Amino acid sequence: MSALSSRARSERKLGWMLCAPAVTVMLLVTAYPVGYALWLSLQRYDLRFPEDREFVGLRNYGAVLGNELWWQDLVNTLVITAVSVVIELVLGFALAFVMHRAIVGRGLVRSAVLVPYGIITVVAAFAWRFAFDPTTGFVNGLANVEQSWFTERWSSYLVIILAEVWKTTPFMSLLLLAGFTLVPDDVVRAARVDGASPAVRLRKVIIPLMKPAILVALLFRTLDAFRIFDTVFVMTRGAQGTENVSILGYKTLIGRLNLGLGSAVSVLIFVCVVIIAVLFVKGFGANLAQQRGEDL
């Protein structure tokens, strides 16, 4: 491995110095809750029977991982995450391209696209729920169907994913729009002069140069989608087979008042989030060090 140049070392040092205050605050704010949740997860602690509190080690994790409900909810979470993020990536890329190429009314286009993301998630979820309600909503009349959307699993999934896509695609497009600025126009023009078709330019030039931005957008949205709670809670509360791991943690902690098992679920969600982040950074193949010039 080549040694870092003096410029790369100085940039790395400056980066750590700039990040230090924010990292310190984040550690102070998050370290205690995470540590306390980890400590609670190692105990049998039910608020209904506080006198039975005792240290049980990893027994709570064994109970959660040995329960079929955890794995079923994990699959539900991964399905919602994968489908919504893929759709958001495609739509977000198209919206980012439009915003990047817009010459007239660029500010208006960007503001209009970002409106859904500015709406509070709970409010957006209620709006979609009322829209698809068979008695008060307008969707059935518009589509000329008689469908009770929240009484079947597939239709509940459909509405939940549509609401997620509508709400967060602007965030994805905003991140990808930053990626378009990384693509030099000279490189695209050179590829055009060499006879590359638009599809080839997109696949061989634009997307590789946007790889770091795509990685960041996918990582942020995947982690956010994996922790989805508001939309599912407002629409179905986990009924019709739509329960995910966040709803499971809520029901265990708040519904059953079982702090030990609920904390174990929360810690397992945290571990899943860390695994997803590592897989994205290692598996995507983006040479971020090269982007920073560390191999100079």
Side-chain angles (χ1 to χ4, degrees), residues 100-294:
H100 180 66
R101 292 294 183 183
I103 299 176
V104 179
R106 178 176 295 184
L108 180 62
V109 172
R110 293 182 181 181
S111 301
V113 167
L114 291 175
V115 166
Y117 189 67
I119 299 176
I120 299 173
T121 305
V122 173
V123 175
F126 272 112
W128 279 81
R129 176 186 167 187
F130 291 138
F132 281 84
D133 190 285
T135 56
T136 61
F138 63 88
V139 174
N140 277 358
L142 195 65
N144 195 24
V145 296
E146 293 292 336
Q147 174 68 37
S148 184
W149 297 92
F150 300 110
T151 58
E152 298 180 37
R153 189 180 189 187
W154 73 268
S155 55
S156 299
Y157 267 119
L158 177 65
V159 180
I160 290 171
I161 291 173
L162 284 177
E164 278 293 292
V165 170
W166 177 82
K167 176 76 173 61
T168 53
T169 294
F171 177 70
M172 179 77 83
S173 65
L174 193 64
L175 295 177
L176 294 176
L177 178 62
F180 271 106
T181 62
L182 299 175
V183 183
D185 291 336
D186 294 343
V187 177
V188 179
R189 287 196 206 99
R192 186 185 298 119
V193 171
D194 289 341
S197 65
V200 173
R201 292 200 297 272
L202 176 66
R203 186 163 48 90
K204 297 288 188 179
V205 178
I206 297 176
I207 290 180
L209 290 173
M210 290 181 60
K211 222 171 183 180
I214 295 174
L215 168 64
V216 172
L218 281 176
L219 178 59
F220 280 10
R221 268 306 298 144
T222 302
L223 296 181
D224 193 35
F226 186 83
R227 296 178 291 110
I228 179 176
F229 175 81
D230 313 56
T231 305
V232 178
F233 186 79
V234 168
M235 292 187 180
T236 64
R237 293 179 180 263
Q240 316 305 336
T242 60
E243 182 177 283
N244 62 347
V245 290
S246 296
I247 297 292
L248 175 63
Y250 170 82
K251 288 182 176 178
T252 308
L253 269 171
I254 308 301
R256 296 170 53 190
L257 301 178
N258 194 323
L259 299 187
L261 281 175
S263 299
V265 172
S266 301
V267 172
L268 288 173
I269 294 174
F270 178 75
V271 171
C272 291
V273 167
V274 173
I275 291 174
I276 290 173
V278 172
L279 289 177
F280 262 92
V281 174
K282 295 294 183 183
F284 199 84
N287 194 344
L288 299 179
Q290 185 177 8
Q291 293 288 331
R292 295 195 299 265
E294 292 182 356

Side-chain angles (χ1 to χ4, degrees), residues 3-13 293-294 296:
L4 296 179
S5 65
S6 59
R7 175 190 169 191
R9 284 195 297 271
S10 62
E11 288 185 351
R12 172 175 287 188
K13 183 179 178 181
E294 292 182 356
L296 295 176

